[in-house]
Amino acid sequence: MAAINLGMPKVPEILSPRRNTRKIKVGSVMVGGDAPVSVQSMTTTPTTNINATLQQIAELTAAGCDIVRVACPSRDDAEALPIIAMKSQIPVIADIHFQPNYVFAAIDAGCAAVRVNPGNIRKFDDQVGEIAKRAKAAGTSLRIGVNAGSLDPRLLQKYGKATPEALVESAVWEASLFEEHDFHDFKISVKHNDPIVMVKAYRMLAERGDWPLHLGVTEAGPAFQGTIKSATAFGILLSEGIGDTIRVSLSAPPVEEVKVGMQILQSLNLRERKLEIVSCPSCGRAQVDVYTLAEEVTKGLEGMTVPLRVAVMGCVVNGPGEAREADLGVASGNGKGQIFVKGEVIKTVPESEIVATLIEEANRLAAEIGHKAESGAPEVLTY
């Protein structure tokens, strides 16, 4: 029997419903509630170098970044904020430590939000009333950012180290101070470099209130280690519905942070899946060079943004099944490959032509997908 899809979006399967939080605005981006989980990163350029900072923000925007944070450790950095906030294509968050005066400078500069670190801003609690008043008047949201490495000394003395309980106590205390001043436009983070401690802290925090939460494993490390730690921690929390915005902290170019963050969300169906390469790890059954095939196909399709699943398989055991389930695939063996499109074999090509054929077919399918999206033409589904 045939059914007509009249263009209604398919609802992706997720592991748990999103936690019901209050919704806040970070410039043009909504955070919390039913808003999509957003991806953040941070510039690595000196904020005083306005052109370099705006160039890096443009690169982050192109990679899919939703919100960007810029460091503001000095007066010169604060003076650069108005131009950066005005010219950035995505909302800018000013990152403030030590000096409360820079919080007010960032609000006056038109930043979409300000990240404050209660553990190291001088006499922070005494400033909360004025910060709340100025932020509310300007429509600026805040992030209360509690970090294991800069926890309030009083809490370190109480707990002995940055335990989940210490991180949460700090966050809840600061949240209560802002709420006493009738300011509610803030999100909270309780970051730690250990994914286990971090997960426990966010779980505890999620039970204490309906604040939107910004997820982060702080100082996660070099690209490989940091990716694993972040994916592990984020995967646990997001699969439980906890988390409204994320930043993958890597000792790597910030665009790489965005790529990893986007992939984590796509893997959990919290963002529309775009290009996805399914490839086997290879084994003694493989009769073609799977590593090279997968690498060259990935490189050849770099930049493709349409939702397309491409399977690059190297043997006749799992290969045909995986290739048949993908939008496009190849099952390889004996120096040749069967090319599948939407479950049907369309041709068999020698190994030397597999990559070029897959790229050609992928571009053709991408063009068809783009045409359907533009025309709004109904899709016919056959059962």
Side-chain angles (χ1 to χ4, degrees):
M1 146 179 142
I4 304 291
N5 182 343
L6 296 178
M8 295 296 290
K10 298 181 179 69
V11 177
E13 184 178 358
I14 57 174
L15 292 170
S16 295
R18 292 276 303 284
R19 172 174 159 265
N20 186 25
T21 71
R22 70 180 68 158
K23 186 184 289 188
I24 67 169
K25 287 181 67 175
V26 181
S28 59
V29 175
M30 302 303 297
V31 172
D34 59 356
V37 178
S38 55
V39 176
Q40 299 188 26
S41 186
M42 187 172 183
T43 55
T44 57
T45 54
T47 305
T48 50
N49 189 336
I50 294 174
N51 288 337
T53 300
L54 287 171
Q55 175 60 37
Q56 193 167 75
I57 291 174
E59 293 168 0
L60 288 166
T61 303
C65 188
D66 299 302
I67 301 169
V68 66
R69 184 156 48 107
V70 299
C72 187
S74 73
R75 172 58 58 184
D76 289 342
D77 296 308
E79 290 175 354
L81 289 176
I83 297 175
I84 293 171
M86 179 178 64
K87 293 193 173 183
S88 172
Q89 304 97 318
I90 55 178
V92 171
I93 298 177
D95 187 67
I96 309 297
H97 298 267
F98 306 116
Q99 290 289 347
N101 288 340
Y102 298 159
V103 176
F104 303 116
I107 293 171
D108 293 340
C111 290
V114 181
R115 183 276 180 125
V116 294
N117 187 336
N120 65 21
I121 293 181
R122 190 166 56 249
K123 297 183 178 178
F124 181 78
D125 290 0
D126 298 336
Q127 308 281 334
V128 165
E130 186 61 22
I131 292 173
K133 178 182 174 182
R134 297 273 291 273
K136 181 182 286 189
T140 306
S141 61
L142 302 176
R143 169 157 71 93
I144 299 172
V146 178
N147 261 36
S150 52
L151 194 62
D152 188 306
R154 294 168 295 182
L155 291 170
L156 281 176
Q157 185 175 7
K158 177 179 178 179
Y159 289 96
K161 60 181 180 178
T163 63
E165 293 80 5
L167 295 170
V168 171
E169 183 172 328
S170 175
V172 172
W173 167 253
E174 300 301 338
S176 71
L177 294 182
F178 278 101
E179 289 168 343
E180 283 179 6
H181 292 277
D182 195 29
F183 185 82
H184 305 276
D185 294 331
F186 61 85
K187 57 185 180 292
I188 303 178
S189 63
V190 281
K191 295 186 176 183
H192 198 286
N193 61 65
D194 185 327
I196 301 299
V197 176
M198 176 267 201
V199 166
K200 287 182 176 179
Y202 277 99
R203 282 174 169 167
M204 291 172 61
L205 187 59
E207 293 177 353
R208 297 289 297 273
D210 67 347
W211 311 290
L213 301 181
H214 170 78
L215 303 187
V217 178
T218 190
E219 291 98 34
F224 177 75
Q225 175 182 292
T227 296
I228 299 299
K229 289 170 72 173
S230 296
T232 299
F234 293 3
I236 292 169
L237 291 168
L238 291 168
S239 71
E240 296 173 1
I242 298 172
D244 302 284
T245 179
I246 65 173
R247 189 252 172 130
V248 177
S249 299
L250 301 178
S251 300
V255 164
E256 296 304 310
E257 297 184 348
V258 175
K259 290 179 180 178
V260 173
M262 294 289 285
Q263 192 61 56
I264 291 171
L265 295 182
Q266 288 178 37
S267 296
L268 293 166
N269 281 343
L270 294 171
R271 283 285 179 103
E272 181 185 43
R273 296 194 184 200
K274 297 186 178 178
L275 177 66
E276 182 181 6
I277 304 293
V278 177
S279 59
C280 63
S282 191
C283 65
R285 298 190 300 266
Q287 297 175 329
V288 295
D289 184 353
V290 179
Y291 300 148
T292 300
L293 286 180
E295 200 172 275
E296 290 182 353
V297 170
T298 301
K299 186 176 180 180
L301 298 180
E302 188 174 5
M304 183 171 285
T305 58
V306 299
L308 195 68
R309 193 165 186 258
V310 181
V312 182
M313 305 301 294
C315 81
V316 295
V317 176
N318 295 320
E322 289 287 355
R324 191 175 288 113
E325 289 296 316
D327 299 300
L328 169 66
V330 61
S332 310
N334 296 320
K336 56 189 178 183
Q338 281 188 317
I339 307 297
F340 289 75
V341 174
K342 302 294 184 181
E344 300 293 333
V345 177
I346 63 164
K347 65 178 76 172
T348 300
V349 298
E351 182 177 355
S352 61
E353 296 178 18
I354 289 175
V355 172
T357 304
L358 287 176
I359 292 172
E360 179 184 355
E361 291 297 327
N363 286 324
R364 182 181 63 78
L365 289 170
E368 286 183 5
I369 293 170
H371 174 69
K372 285 180 183 177
E374 289 174 8
S375 67
E379 180 184 355
V380 178
L381 303 178
T382 303
Y383 297 99

